[in-house]
Amino acid sequence: MANGEALKVDRIYVTYKFTGEDPKSIADVIRAEQTIEFPYELAPSWIQEEVVGKVEEISSSDKTSHLITISYNPDVTGGELNQFLNVLWGNVSLFPNVKIVGLKLPDSFLAKFSGPRFGISGLRKLLGAETRPLVSTALKPMGSYAQTLAEMARTLALAGFDLIKDDHSLANQPWATWKERVTLISRAVKEANAVTGGKSVYAPSLNLPFDQIVDAAHTAKDLGAGALLILPGITGFDSLRKIASDDSIALPIQGHPAMLGSLITSKAEGISHGIVLGTLMRLAGADITIFPNIGGRFAFSSDHCLDITELSREKLGKLNPMFVAPAGGMNLGRIPEMIKMYGNDSALLIGGALSRGNLADNAARMCELVRAY
Amino acid sequence: MANGEALKVDRIYVTYKFTGEDPKSIADVIRAEQTIEFPYELAPSWIQEEVVGKVEEISSSDKTSHLITISYNPDVTGGELNQFLNVLWGNVSLFPNVKIVGLKLPDSFLAKFSGPRFGISGLRKLLGAETRPLVSTALKPMGSYAQTLAEMARTLALAGFDLIKDDHSLANQPWATWKERVTLISRAVKEANAVTGGKSVYAPSLNLPFDQIVDAAHTAKDLGAGALLILPGITGFDSLRKIASDDSIALPIQGHPAMLGSLITSKAEGISHGIVLGTLMRLAGADITIFPNIGGRFAFSSDHCLDITELSREKLGKLNPMFVAPAGGMNLGRIPEMIKMYGNDSALLIGGALSRGNLADNAARMCELVRAY
């Protein structure tokens, strides 16, 4: 872009909650820190104008609580997800008392991303689940042999589960190495589908070394896996974008929140639950976003969960909406309430609790409960 | 590993600070959450014994402040960095009031990682800097054309800078696309070295799309870049490991803390400064760890900075020690104090302040000040 060329109308708007005094000063610090990282007054005037963020609004609810909205020229991201994340939260992540609570992305920027390949309607078609919530679970515990996990998967697929994923902790451990596990489980699910005429899919985890992830996605597909699990807090949001947007892979993806907690647990710092587990997951291309439901092993509030849900479904350019997968210590008794809270566009995820008693009975009961809705 | 085989002696020890009551209960939750993510009592006894973490010690300074040490069988990581990160902080990142403050890694586990390829002594040899601190800077501001950045780099290399890196915000923006920038800057630095007989190196940023990072490292090397900059908080620690350990790349690496702030800024949650920017950076293979010094634009304390420094240099299996690069709003007046605080094994990083007045004069002055020590 040449010096002096007309500014773009479509800008990225980020709203920061700042806890402290003098919001004007911190706003000026942030808009430079996240772009030029350079003394503003020393930058050429056209860089001040075109490249540095602009403070759009500061509203204060009291002396130490402020909302600051800064807009950015999308060109500072180069249209790439990793640099977008850097503009969003790179250096300001090191500041105390600053939290991102709002994000508006212009359609011109969103058009650079393909987002969820299947989304809600695509995944419903693939799984033959026209309107009901999806039934999903995780294979565990770590330490089980691949054959044991495969037999669990068979039982769950025979019961009619839509999605059977690796537990997020399964990687390449000696008890069940990745290739052996994915081979045996994919086969077991395929055999179960042949019996039932169902469409269960198995989602192996791609929490693998950086340079093995793309190959592993292809291998998983070749072995018959019908979906994939990605942990973008560990392998990076852009690993999710790459896998989701690759036409030669073209499998639905479940996004897991491992390590993303540090972005969201603090009240004063980080990024809101909805933006991380809703907007970013969806922008990167997850078809399903997994997060800890209220009343389980974690401390998400109802507001947090509904924030994620809203941003998973709101209009976001032409990007497909995502399924939400409330999880984390759920059990069969919670199903009616979960459906009431999240509606039908949810992929209810019950893991360990299915192993309390007889797995086949519990699995059948879960499918029955969900289908009854 | 077969059921019943003898347990390994060498285990991974993680110490968590827990703020709250009943540390025994949370310890039991964490040791299962980070491994089997499954009701402990339902797991086969050999999995309880071999796979689940063990509570080694709980010490309480008062009713609501506790240190919990849990040890893990290294097999739960599969010997892979991404799964190690998952065991370390995956789901527990979603817990409130838990912070990792201690980490001990057994030599058998460390032996799976090559760590910093050059380390302190290797980088000193490469740069011809036997004992003094290194002199380093960043090319900025974003928005400058590639030719402008290349002329800055030439000036800095002529002045005798050891390391000239891309500002961490430079990615693939329209004002200076990655390939054009790396081509022109690498050439300018090479030409300057030919004039001075010096060994300045340029480190382009690899904050690029997931599937372009490895190729870009090769391209950078082919174009004459003498080092690389990686942002593991965005592209993942394992992208750093891959690039650092690849013998066909074999360039020194600067690790930048972008987005890692969320792991460390909270007092009650996250992971300590030293473990993230010292141990993890080093385990993944950075030769230099960049972090915000005291008294700059950020809020790191002296203790935080010295914690990073200590863990960058302590014995860690056979892994090379790293240079520390205190940065973030430094200026020439800070140099004596920085050398006093960090010693000679530091890569002093001054960026924007060098552009205040005449760049060539400031650059010469910085080299002179550091070499005088």
Side-chain angles (χ1 to χ4, degrees):
Chain A
M1 169 178 303
N3 179 345
E5 196 177 313
L7 289 181
K8 308 240 165 125
V9 178
D10 289 345
R11 294 173 67 84
I12 294 169
Y13 286 78
V14 183
T15 300
Y16 308 85
K17 182 177 81 172
F18 171 58
T19 312
E21 297 187 6
D22 195 3
K24 179 67 177 66
S25 293
I26 192 83
D28 280 335
V29 168
I30 292 172
R31 74 196 186 103
E33 188 70 46
Q34 296 306 92
T35 53
I36 59 171
E37 204 193 339
F38 188 81
Y40 180 80
E41 68 281 8
L42 299 184
S45 62
W46 73 271
I47 288 182
Q48 293 177 347
E49 187 62 23
E50 280 190 29
V51 181
V52 178
K54 292 184 193 303
V55 179
E56 300 285 351
E57 193 180 357
I58 297 179
S59 67
S60 305
S61 56
D62 62 48
K63 205 177 164 189
T64 60
S65 183
H66 317 275
L67 290 177
I68 297 166
T69 298
I70 297 176
S71 73
Y72 296 95
N73 177 349
D75 284 346
V76 301
T77 70
E80 292 177 353
L81 184 59
N82 278 337
Q83 172 57 13
F84 166 68
L85 294 171
N86 200 14
V87 172
L88 191 67
W89 195 237
N91 271 10
V92 79
S93 77
L94 295 152
F95 286 11
N97 304 318
V98 175
K99 178 155 187 156
I100 293 179
V101 296
L103 175 64
K104 278 191 198 168
L105 300 169
D107 285 349
S108 57
F109 176 77
L110 289 167
K112 296 179 188 295
F113 298 88
S114 49
R117 177 179 290 268
F118 295 85
I120 292 174
S121 65
L123 203 48
R124 288 196 172 289
K125 247 177 247 166
L126 186 80
L127 298 171
E130 276 184 34
T131 56
R132 61 172 172 78
L134 304 183
V135 187
S136 70
T137 188
L139 299 168
K140 27 174 123 179
M142 186 206 290
S144 305
Y145 298 127
Q147 189 59 53
T148 308
L149 296 168
E151 289 314 310
M152 285 182 74
R154 184 189 307 275
T155 300
L156 293 156
L158 287 171
F161 270 64
D162 298 299
L163 294 148
I164 301 161
K165 75 172 183 71
D166 274 348
D167 188 41
H168 90 284
S169 67
L170 299 184
N172 213 354
Q173 289 94 350
W175 306 287
T177 57
W178 190 87
K179 183 85 181 279
E180 184 194 16
R181 185 173 85 238
V182 178
T183 303
L184 296 185
I185 298 171
S186 299
R187 188 185 301 155
V189 170
K190 188 181 168 189
E191 289 169 358
N193 282 338
V195 171
T196 62
K199 298 181 170 186
S200 293
V201 298
Y202 161 54
S205 173
L206 294 183
N207 190 36
L208 296 170
F210 177 82
D211 46 332
Q212 294 176 21
I213 292 173
V214 173
D215 285 349
H218 286 283
T219 303
K221 183 173 179 144
D222 292 346
L223 290 171
L228 297 166
L229 174 72
I230 294 185
L231 283 52
I234 297 178
T235 60
F237 274 102
D238 209 54
S239 69
L240 170 52
R241 181 205 54 79
K242 162 62 189 166
I243 300 295
S245 63
D246 189 329
D247 290 338
S248 68
I249 299 170
L251 292 177
I253 298 175
Q254 296 178 281
H256 187 282
M259 270 190 96
L260 291 174
S262 291
L263 281 174
I264 57 185
T265 46
S266 165
K267 279 181 189 152
E269 288 121 15
I271 307 179
S272 75
H273 291 66
I275 294 174
V276 174
L277 297 175
T279 309
L280 295 184
M281 276 285 189
R282 192 171 159 200
L283 187 65
D287 297 287
I288 299 176
T289 182
I290 299 170
F291 58 88
N293 194 17
I294 52 170
R297 297 191 306 273
F298 299 87
F300 280 30
S301 72
S302 181
D303 282 351
H304 296 151
C305 294
L306 293 175
D307 181 29
I308 296 166
T309 304
E310 187 184 334
L311 297 192
S312 298
R313 297 171 182 171
E314 68 163 4
K315 181 169 167 11
L316 187 68
K318 293 181 173 173
L319 271 56
N320 282 326
M322 280 187 304
F323 273 100
V324 294
M330 297 298 101
N331 58 53
L332 298 184
R334 300 286 305 272
I335 288 177
E337 167 218 326
M338 286 163 79
I339 297 178
K340 192 172 171 199
M341 179 164 172
Y342 296 102
N344 278 7
D345 290 338
S346 54
L348 308 178
L349 203 172
I350 299 183
L354 294 178
S355 294
R356 209 175 278 285
N358 182 282
L359 179 67
D361 292 348
N362 290 331
R365 179 84 186 123
M366 179 165 172
C367 289
E368 192 180 291
L369 276 167
V370 174
R371 287 190 165 85
Y373 267 80
Chain B
M1 170 176 308
N3 179 343
E5 193 176 316
L7 288 180
K8 308 239 163 129
V9 177
D10 288 345
R11 294 173 67 84
I12 294 169
Y13 286 78
V14 184
T15 300
Y16 309 84
K17 183 177 81 172
F18 170 58
T19 311
E21 297 187 6
D22 195 3
K24 178 70 178 67
S25 292
I26 192 83
D28 280 335
V29 169
I30 293 172
R31 73 196 186 103
E33 187 71 46
Q34 296 307 93
T35 52
I36 59 171
E37 203 191 341
F38 189 81
Y40 180 81
E41 69 280 9
L42 299 184
S45 62
W46 73 272
I47 288 182
Q48 293 178 348
E49 186 62 24
E50 280 190 30
V51 181
V52 178
K54 292 184 191 304
V55 179
E56 300 285 349
E57 193 180 357
I58 297 179
S59 67
S60 305
S61 55
D62 62 50
K63 205 177 165 187
T64 61
S65 182
H66 318 274
L67 290 177
I68 298 166
T69 297
I70 297 176
S71 74
Y72 296 95
N73 178 350
D75 284 346
V76 300
T77 71
E80 293 177 351
L81 184 58
N82 278 337
Q83 173 57 12
F84 166 68
L85 294 171
N86 199 15
V87 172
L88 191 66
W89 196 237
N91 271 11
V92 78
S93 77
L94 295 153
F95 286 11
N97 303 319
V98 176
K99 177 153 188 156
I100 294 179
V101 295
L103 175 65
K104 277 190 198 169
L105 301 169
D107 286 350
S108 57
F109 176 77
L110 289 167
K112 295 178 187 297
F113 297 88
S114 50
R117 176 179 290 268
F118 294 85
I120 293 175
S121 66
L123 204 48
R124 288 196 173 287
K125 247 177 247 166
L126 186 80
L127 298 171
E130 277 186 31
T131 56
R132 61 173 172 79
L134 305 183
V135 187
S136 71
T137 188
L139 298 168
K140 32 175 114 176
M142 185 206 291
S144 306
Y145 298 127
Q147 189 59 53
T148 307
L149 296 168
E151 289 313 311
M152 286 182 72
R154 184 190 307 275
T155 300
L156 294 155
L158 286 172
F161 270 64
D162 297 301
L163 294 147
I164 302 162
K165 75 173 183 69
D166 274 348
D167 189 42
H168 90 284
S169 67
L170 299 184
N172 213 354
Q173 290 93 351
W175 306 288
T177 56
W178 191 87
K179 183 84 180 280
E180 184 195 18
R181 185 174 85 239
V182 179
T183 303
L184 297 185
I185 299 172
S186 299
R187 189 185 301 155
V189 171
K190 188 182 167 188
E191 289 170 357
N193 282 338
V195 170
T196 62
K199 298 180 171 187
S200 294
V201 299
Y202 162 53
S205 172
L206 294 183
N207 189 35
L208 296 170
F210 177 82
D211 46 333
Q212 295 176 20
I213 292 174
V214 173
D215 285 349
H218 286 283
T219 303
K221 183 174 178 143
D222 292 345
L223 290 170
L228 297 166
L229 174 72
I230 294 184
L231 281 55
I234 297 177
T235 60
F237 274 102
D238 209 54
S239 68
L240 169 53
R241 181 205 56 77
K242 162 61 189 167
I243 300 295
S245 63
D246 188 330
D247 291 338
S248 68
I249 299 170
L251 292 177
I253 297 175
Q254 297 178 279
H256 188 282
M259 269 189 97
L260 291 174
S262 292
L263 281 173
I264 58 185
T265 45
S266 165
K267 279 180 190 154
E269 288 123 13
I271 307 178
S272 75
H273 290 67
I275 293 174
V276 174
L277 297 175
T279 309
L280 295 183
M281 277 284 189
R282 193 171 157 199
L283 187 65
D287 297 286
I288 300 177
T289 182
I290 299 170
F291 58 87
N293 195 16
I294 51 169
R297 298 191 306 272
F298 300 87
F300 280 31
S301 72
S302 181
D303 282 351
H304 296 150
C305 295
L306 293 175
D307 181 30
I308 297 166
T309 304
E310 187 184 335
L311 297 191
S312 298
R313 297 173 182 169
E314 69 163 4
K315 183 170 167 9
L316 187 68
K318 294 182 172 174
L319 271 55
N320 282 326
M322 277 188 306
F323 273 99
V324 294
M330 297 297 102
N331 58 53
L332 299 185
R334 301 285 306 272
I335 289 177
E337 166 218 325
M338 286 163 79
I339 296 178
K340 193 173 170 198
M341 179 166 173
Y342 296 102
N344 278 7
D345 290 339
S346 53
L348 308 178
L349 204 172
I350 299 183
L354 294 179
S355 294
R356 210 175 277 285
N358 182 282
L359 179 67
D361 292 348
N362 290 332
R365 179 83 188 125
M366 179 165 172
C367 289
E368 193 180 292
L369 277 166
V370 174
R371 287 189 165 87
Y373 267 80

